[in-house]
Amino acid sequence: MTSAKKTVLINDVTQAAELLRGGKLVAFPTETVYGLGGAIWYPETITDIFRAKGRPADNPLIVHVADAEALDELSPAVPPIARDLVQAFWPGPLTIVVPKREAVSSLISAGLDSVAVRSPKSELARSILKECQIPIAAPSANRSGKPSATTWQAVLEDLDGWIDAVMKGPPCEIGLESTVVDCTSKYPRLLRAGSVTPEQLAVVCPEIEITGPLSAAANSPGLRHRHYQPVAKVIPIQEVLSVSPCPTRAMLTLESHPAADLFGLYRRCHTPEDYAAVLFEFFRQADRRGITEIYCQLIPASGIGRAIRDRLNRAADSQ
Ligand code: TXA
Ligand code: MG
């Protein structure tokens, strides 16, 4: 399928909101990654989102809202634990999965009777959502299978010609997608790790089930698909010294490598948060330079480390 739209770069919140209200596709920054937004009440708009991303129809979308009041418009029965999580973490990088109202198209939920909802913290995203007053479905603004876009340039790289506009905002602060928690069964369950950590979730909800990625796959269809993969091969490593540098290799690390200059691309991060913020753009930079192997140092699975390990392992999977 070929692209047909003329994609424009915009700066103005009112223009973004007007385009969205008119059923157009507008990518905009959130604190996690850029989202590819479309108003949820127009079925053609939702179909357009799937087409623009090349996304399998069985992978449901997250609906973005300005505040918690909008939840009842989407769900007939918001579980008390979902309200507690919302109270603690919204606006912010937490998505909750709750029972879906019939009015919400099953195209969005990929046929499930639940819907994923999030209220982002980014001021730009919040202003757009407030001004357009319609809930906005927004998957990450990348072609399906590719690393998520954390800059407007990365959005254009993947979606130029497929969407109507890109909001020219700053690079995303967190750099990894939101934490997803399923609140539809007796005990809430972590479906996707993110910057809201299991430790933080457990404070609000001690009975939360933190399962491994495989058992979560059945409940979060998105986890079954190929994800986060640059063209270059991603190779997670423990020891930076185990890698000999050369111009076709890239390294992303928390410890310095003594021959850093000899890599085609090299970045040392000082904190796990830094590492998360640059990870997807690092993958894309490596591809732009024709790098063939990207070595990424694994970090402990605590805090945001769990989400980083999850993305790295899936980027490295079956390449
Ligand atoms: O940070 C984020 O969440 C970003 C920004 C743009 O908000 N969005 C994002 O969307 O990452 P996407 O489409 O790339 O990932 C959505 C995830 C997928 O893993 C999908 O399977 C899961 O949410 N999901 C959506 N609806 C669901 C549902 N009803 N039940 C279970 N999982 C669901
Ligand atoms: Mg995505």
Side-chain angles (χ1 to χ4, degrees):
M1 200 179 299
T2 51
S3 55
K5 291 178 187 280
K6 167 139 185 49
T7 306
V8 296
L9 265 178
I10 58 175
N11 282 303
D12 183 44
V13 166
T14 306
Q15 193 185 356
E18 268 167 21
L19 286 168
L20 286 164
R21 290 182 66 81
K24 304 289 189 196
L25 299 188
V26 181
F28 59 86
T30 79
E31 71 277 21
T32 57
V33 299
Y34 271 70
L36 193 189
I40 67 162
W41 303 128
Y42 314 131
E44 326 81 71
T45 303
I46 302 305
T47 310
D48 266 4
I49 292 179
F50 280 89
R51 186 180 305 125
K53 283 197 57 129
R55 183 177 178 108
D58 67 350
N59 191 359
L61 307 177
I62 297 175
V63 176
H64 292 63
V65 294
D67 49 48
E69 270 106 82
L71 252 182
D72 296 298
E73 198 184 340
L74 305 167
S75 178
V78 178
I81 190 62
R83 294 207 191 270
D84 293 346
L85 289 169
V86 160
Q87 171 83 27
F89 299 109
W90 278 15
L94 176 75
T95 296
I96 52 164
V97 175
V98 292
K100 178 181 87 63
R101 278 199 192 279
E102 250 175 56
V104 177
S105 163
S106 62
L107 292 172
I108 292 171
S109 66
L112 299 173
D113 50 15
S114 58
V115 60
V117 192
R118 146 166 143 83
S119 183
K121 190 173 190 160
S122 136
E123 274 312 318
L124 211 44
R126 288 182 64 68
S127 316
I128 294 172
L129 291 166
K130 275 190 198 150
E131 186 140 344
C132 91
Q133 295 186 330
I134 300 180
I136 298 297
S140 51
N142 52 280
R143 290 285 290 172
S144 201
K146 290 284 162 205
S148 297
T150 55
T151 61
W152 62 263
Q153 293 93 333
V155 176
L156 274 184
E157 202 166 67
D158 274 19
L159 297 175
D160 193 11
W162 292 97
I163 62 178
D164 298 288
V166 180
M167 184 84 191
K168 204 173 160 187
C172 301
E173 211 180 303
I174 295 173
L176 299 182
E177 307 80 359
S178 61
T179 303
V180 181
V181 175
D182 181 5
C183 300
T184 60
S185 3
K186 185 164 176 217
Y187 298 115
R189 178 153 19 155
L190 179 69
L191 297 183
R192 182 173 72 184
S195 71
V196 176
T197 64
E199 296 88 341
Q200 290 171 311
L201 291 167
V203 172
V204 179
C205 179
E207 64 278 17
I208 187 162
E209 289 180 18
I210 313 288
T211 49
L214 282 179
S215 47
N219 293 339
S220 192
L223 299 181
R224 284 197 295 269
H225 297 290
R226 185 178 165 271
H227 250 88
Y228 316 122
Q229 295 179 354
V231 176
K233 191 171 166 57
V234 174
I235 307 168
I237 51 159
Q238 297 284 357
E239 294 291 332
V240 291
L241 290 177
S242 65
V243 185
S244 327
C246 78
T248 55
R249 292 180 166 175
M251 179 173 276
L252 181 63
T253 166
L254 276 173
E255 289 164 14
S256 59
H257 191 291
D261 289 352
L262 302 178
F263 285 98
L265 180 66
Y266 173 90
R267 178 143 185 176
R268 186 208 167 175
C269 302
H270 291 276
T271 62
E273 284 73 21
D274 253 12
Y275 193 116
V278 302
L279 179 67
F280 289 141
E281 189 57 24
F282 190 83
F283 285 175
R284 287 175 177 270
Q285 279 168 2
D287 280 352
R288 287 178 206 129
R289 291 185 191 194
I291 298 283
T292 54
E293 290 165 359
I294 306 173
Y295 292 89
C296 298
Q297 188 177 25
L298 282 170
I299 62 173
S302 57
I304 198 169
R306 184 184 174 100
I308 294 174
R309 288 179 81 105
D310 163 68
R311 305 309 191 271
L312 281 181
N313 288 332
R314 287 198 294 133
D317 196 32
S318 65
Q319 280 193 312

